[in-house]
Each structure stands twice: as structure tokens, then as C-alpha cells.
Amino acid sequence: MLNRRSLLKAGAAAGVLAAVPVGLVLGAQPRRAAAATTPFTVPLRVPRPLRPTRLADYDLYRLTSREADVAILPGTTSRVRTLGGALSPLIVARRGRPVIIEQANALDVPFSMHLHGGHVPAHSDGHPDNEVAPGRSRLFRYPNNQPASTMWVHDHSHHAHAENIYRGAAATYVLTDPAEDALPLPKGQYDVTLQLRDAKLEDDGTLVYDLHGFQDRPTFLVNGSPRPYFEVAARKYRFRLVNTSNERAFVLRLGEGDEFTHIATDGGLLPAPVPSRILQVWPAERQEIVVDFSKYPVGSKIVLSTMMTFPGEAPEVLRFDVVRTADDPSSVPATLRPVADLGTPAVERTFAMSFDPQRGQHLINGKPFDVNRVDFRPKLGVTEIWTIENKDVDFTIPHSLHPHLEHFQVVDRNGKPAGPNEAGLKDTITVMPGESARIKIKFTDYTGRFMFHCHLMGHLTMGMMGQMEMAR
Ligand code: C2O
Ligand code: CU
Ligand code: CU
């Protein structure tokens, strides 16, 4: 429950996040403050893909959710929760080749694995009904019969998920396919996953979790390292950014507002690349960019920073150090992936997101999550249009909506057609207080119960979730 004081704090702080229109954020000066650690003293860790057991019909991974002591702040270790013992592990899967993950739970809290962005059958979606109790294990089956995209794996056990994610248990899951391989985008060592998040760390390395502490997490981590540096060649790189934060939004800019190319979002490649200078990455979103470092002389250092900070926070996220030249056969083609045709909507639904101060709960259409209630039953093959309304004008709290199972298209925001940065498939959309957005979605094959929810983990924990049951 929020008490009045933390509520007021939450409202005021969320106001910083929410009430600043992007136009104003553009002109805002990054705020400088004494950071707990000196930025750019540790190198970025680039995860190598985990090695599965290759069986005839699928790749098998064994992932244990367990605690581990890892080095985050120099000279200390932090007790974190992991999938497999390290922060930011990476799974690379191939379209058409299923992955089975055997998840063993060595934590003392329930854990349920969810492939965020995955088109997966209900039994493998991480529904709270399928929680893996401490000491138990379970198989999760991912068919990978969907287009290439960057996804991530996290806990979905109701009540424990916010803390499990905060404490580090999150894997990046990259799905590749032949259509994307055929494009000349940067590949191999020049295709890098970056998990972004915030955290509160004490000087001795202790990772501090507070459900309501979203404005007191001043250390930014990239792949588990605090404000690292990354040595790059003077050529193009593809970066797959995944925001695994509980509540933190990153509004990124490169150097002094240098240009980069936005190429993909949650559901994979955009129809066409979008030259950009600002990149918003809201919790649970994936955004992919290509940065061409060939325009910087060797020896340059270019800082990626966020323009949305709480008072006293250092804005730096990551520094790119251009250390060498390299050949660059890669390029960003003028068209990337055709726009999916989701058909003409035949069903309308509204999702009103609001905070109830009396109950201390976050609600969708006036109701908190109830595992025994099905909120609606979409029919397979029928296109729907959903209106998401953020009613939290008084508390100025941003909210998102993330339906499991299918990606959607953003139709419009506040009645204005979605821009080119949102022209691809999405699975999580954030809506500012007093604003609304419409999305188009079509459920196609799997039946059963799936969740939809706000992906600000505190809100989700405090009720902002519902269930839909797909029927033929
Ligand atoms: Cu990241 Cu229910 O999802
Ligand atoms: Cu999800
Ligand atoms: Cu919310």
C-alpha cells in the first residue's frame, strides 16, 4: 500500500517523467550531479549467446533461476537473482526452430518464465497458474514461428515478478530469420544487445529493492555494468536496446544530439529506417538503432545519455570509444520489412488505466487483477481495435499496455496517426497522463488464457493486469 507521503512523492516524481512533452525534453539540459561511481570506468560486457543442447527438433536450454554474487560496482560484489548465474544472458533462436527451456527454480520465491514478445501457447506463457515453486522445474516451449525480433525473458509469477526482474533475472532473446539475414545490416560482433536498467546500489554493492523506490535508483546499468564504456571500430553497429527496468524510461541521445538510424521496435524491423536524434525506450520496450561511427575520428568518445532524469541523477548511460578503423560492408537499406496487414477491425475495446488512492491500487477499467476473472474473450482471426486511456491526470503517472501473445500496430495517439518510429509491430505501448492511443490487434491461433497489463512493474504488482481468454 502506498501511504500518503510516498504517494505524493510518486505523483511528483512521475510528473517529471510524464508531464514533460517530448518537445521540451529535447531542449532540456542534462542534469549533472555527483554520481555514486565515476562513469566509464568499467568495460561493457557483451554477452555471448548461451549454448543449447541441439536435439533433432529443437534447441534445449537449462536455465536455473538462482541467486549469484556478481561484480557490478568495482571492488564489490552484489547478490542478484539471475537466469543461469550471470546478468543479461543472451539466447539466439532461429525462426522455425523451436526452443525448449527447462526452468529450474532455485530461488525461495515462485518464478514463472515469460517470453516477452513471444507467440507461444498458453501453457508456456508464464501465466501465474503455471508458476514454478521453489525447488521445482518446468519446461517452457517456444515455437519461434514468428518474424525476427528482439524479445526478452522474465519472471511472471504474480507478486514476486517485480522484485525478480529488479534483482536481475532477465535474459535477452534474439530471434533471427532468413528475411532479416538477407539484409546488409551490421552482423556478428557488430550486432550488440544492450539491456538497460536503473538500480539502487549501496557503496558495498548491496542491491536495494523498494517497490515504491522508482525515483531512487540512480545507477544506470548496461548489461549489468554501471555506466560502462565500449570500444568500437569506426564503422556501423547495430544495437538492440532492451529496457528491463521496473519503471525507468530512457530518453536517449548520442553525443551532442548526433544522428543515428532507428531500424526496429518490439516486433522487429520497421517498414523503413528512420533517421533520429532522440530514442525513447520505455520499460519492457525494445528499440534497435544503427550507429555509424565512421563519421568520428579514431580517438573520439561519444556519450549516450538520457534526457529524462530525476533531480541529482547523472544522465550518462554508456560511452562509445572509437579505437580503430575497420572495413564496413554493411548498410541500412531504404526498406526493411513490409507493413503487416492486420485487416479491418470488427471489435472495439477500451482500457482505462488509473490509480485508486483509496485502495492503493492500479486499475484497468476500474478493476484490479483477479486470477479468477476473465476480462474478455477475443475470437481468433477477428481484428480488434483497442483504445488505451491514461486517466491519471491528477497523479501524472505514465502507464503502458502490454498484451501477451500478439504484436499490434499503433493506429494513432490522441487522434493523430502514429509516426514513422511507431510504424512497425509493437507489444508494449506507453501512454502519458490524460492521453490516449489506439492499437490494432488480431489474435490468430493459440487458445487459452493470456495476460494483459501495464509494464511498470510497481503498477502491475499493485493490480494493473487482466486476463483474456482466446476462443475459436
Ligand atoms: Cu514482459 Cu506480461 O510481460
Ligand atoms: Cu509479455
Ligand atoms: Cu501503469
Side-chain angles (χ1 to χ4, degrees):
M1 261 291 255
L2 279 173
N3 61 33
R4 191 176 154 73
R5 205 177 124 259
S6 65
L7 176 61
L8 287 173
K9 265 168 65 183
V16 176
L17 275 179
V20 186
V22 175
L24 286 182
V25 172
L26 269 165
Q29 279 306 310
R31 210 183 279 269
R32 232 158 243 284
T37 52
T38 317
F40 318 132
T41 51
V42 293
L44 177 78
R45 281 182 279 221
V46 178
R48 278 199 198 91
L50 298 178
R51 308 241 326 248
T53 306
R54 296 201 186 275
L55 296 160
D57 299 322
Y58 55 90
D59 287 354
L60 175 69
Y61 295 84
R62 292 200 178 82
L63 278 188
T64 303
S65 43
R66 64 173 176 91
E67 290 193 330
D69 292 320
V70 302
I72 299 178
L73 299 181
T76 68
T77 57
S78 304
R79 172 73 43 100
V80 298
R81 295 179 189 170
T82 67
L83 280 168
L87 295 175
S88 306
L90 170 64
I91 290 172
V92 177
R94 185 80 181 150
R95 183 172 185 176
R97 179 160 172 89
V99 159
I100 296 185
I101 301 184
E102 181 187 3
Q103 192 231 323
N105 185 5
L107 296 169
D108 56 9
V109 292
F111 200 100
S112 190
M113 259 199 341
H114 171 59
L115 176 59
H116 181 122
H119 185 69
V120 311
H123 60 70
S124 288
D125 196 48
H127 191 280
D129 282 351
N130 294 331
E131 278 178 8
V132 182
R136 308 298 289 266
S137 70
R138 185 184 164 89
L139 298 179
F140 291 83
R141 290 160 206 274
Y142 303 145
N144 295 324
N145 55 5
Q146 62 188 95
S149 69
T150 303
M151 297 179 265
W152 63 298
V153 173
H154 64 75
D155 176 34
H156 228 293
S157 65
H158 199 40
H159 302 298
H161 47 11
E163 185 167 4
N164 281 334
I165 294 172
Y166 180 83
R167 293 201 177 279
T172 308
Y173 189 105
V174 169
L175 182 66
T176 64
D177 71 12
E180 198 170 306
D181 287 354
L183 300 176
L185 293 167
K187 293 184 172 67
Q189 62 171 307
Y190 304 109
D191 176 350
V192 177
T193 57
L194 301 174
Q195 278 192 9
L196 305 185
R197 58 162 299 182
D198 61 359
K200 180 177 185 174
L201 289 152
E202 288 176 351
D203 288 344
D204 67 357
T206 304
L207 179 63
V208 181
Y209 174 65
D210 171 3
L211 176 63
H212 307 297
F214 66 89
Q215 66 185 116
D216 187 20
R217 294 170 187 158
T219 302
F220 301 153
L221 303 178
V222 186
N223 294 346
S225 295
R227 296 185 164 89
Y229 65 88
F230 182 39
E231 295 188 338
V232 296
R235 54 154 287 159
K236 287 186 240 36
Y237 281 72
R238 174 181 185 165
F239 295 110
R240 302 170 185 257
L241 290 85
V242 184
N243 185 347
T244 65
S245 305
N246 274 24
E247 276 93 21
R248 163 85 50 180
F250 289 93
V251 179
L252 298 170
R253 68 171 205 162
L254 185 67
E256 299 304 312
D258 303 354
E259 191 175 286
F260 50 84
T261 308
H262 189 197
I263 59 161
T265 57
D266 304 339
L269 292 173
L270 291 165
V274 187
S276 304
R277 292 173 192 277
I278 295 284
L279 185 72
Q280 300 192 34
V281 199
W282 287 83
E285 276 188 336
R286 284 83 68 215
Q287 302 289 356
E288 298 185 35
I289 58 175
V290 170
V291 178
D292 188 356
F293 294 106
S294 71
K295 65 184 173 207
Y296 303 103
V298 169
S300 303
K301 297 178 192 309
I302 307 110
V303 174
L304 185 71
S305 52
T306 179
M307 302 161 80
M308 210 181 248
T309 51
F310 293 115
E313 285 179 351
E316 295 88 356
V317 176
L318 171 65
R319 192 182 68 196
F320 298 105
D321 297 356
V322 183
V323 296
R324 61 190 166 91
T325 56
D327 289 346
D328 190 359
S330 75
S331 62
V332 180
T335 58
L336 295 169
R337 186 199 284 174
V339 183
D341 179 10
L342 297 187
T344 308
V347 174
E348 286 184 33
R349 304 186 198 278
T350 301
F351 300 76
M353 321 289 285
S354 68
F355 176 69
D356 179 347
Q358 256 79 51
R359 291 198 267 181
Q361 282 182 314
H362 287 275
L363 311 174
I364 302 179
N365 293 333
K367 292 178 207 146
F369 177 63
D370 177 351
V371 73
N372 297 311
R373 185 189 71 234
V374 171
D375 294 271
F376 58 93
R377 294 186 161 78
K379 255 186 118 68
L380 297 183
V382 176
T383 306
E384 307 202 345
I385 192 157
W386 294 2
T387 304
I388 301 135
E389 298 173 347
N390 183 337
K391 299 289 193 189
D392 273 323
V393 185
D394 291 349
F395 300 109
T396 61
I397 305 170
H399 293 296
S400 60
L401 190 74
H402 165 54
H404 286 201
L405 189 59
E406 291 292 348
H407 287 93
F408 55 76
Q409 276 165 349
V410 184
V411 177
D412 51 28
R413 285 182 178 269
N414 306 314
K416 285 203 212 103
N421 297 84
E422 288 190 311
L425 292 172
K426 292 278 296 161
D427 60 42
T428 307
I429 182 169
T430 301
V431 179
M432 296 301 136
E435 304 201 342
S436 71
R438 290 195 310 158
I439 63 174
K440 198 158 124 175
I441 190 164
K442 182 165 80 173
F443 296 96
T444 51
D445 43 16
Y446 300 126
T447 55
R449 289 187 179 189
F450 294 86
M451 327 302 297
F452 61 93
H453 56 87
C454 175
H455 220 295
L456 279 76
M457 294 307 298
H459 302 179
L460 169 51
T461 304
M462 291 186 279
M464 210 164 230
M465 177 158 75
Q467 298 184 84
M468 47 192 178
E469 182 163 19
M470 314 307 162
R472 281 183 206 287

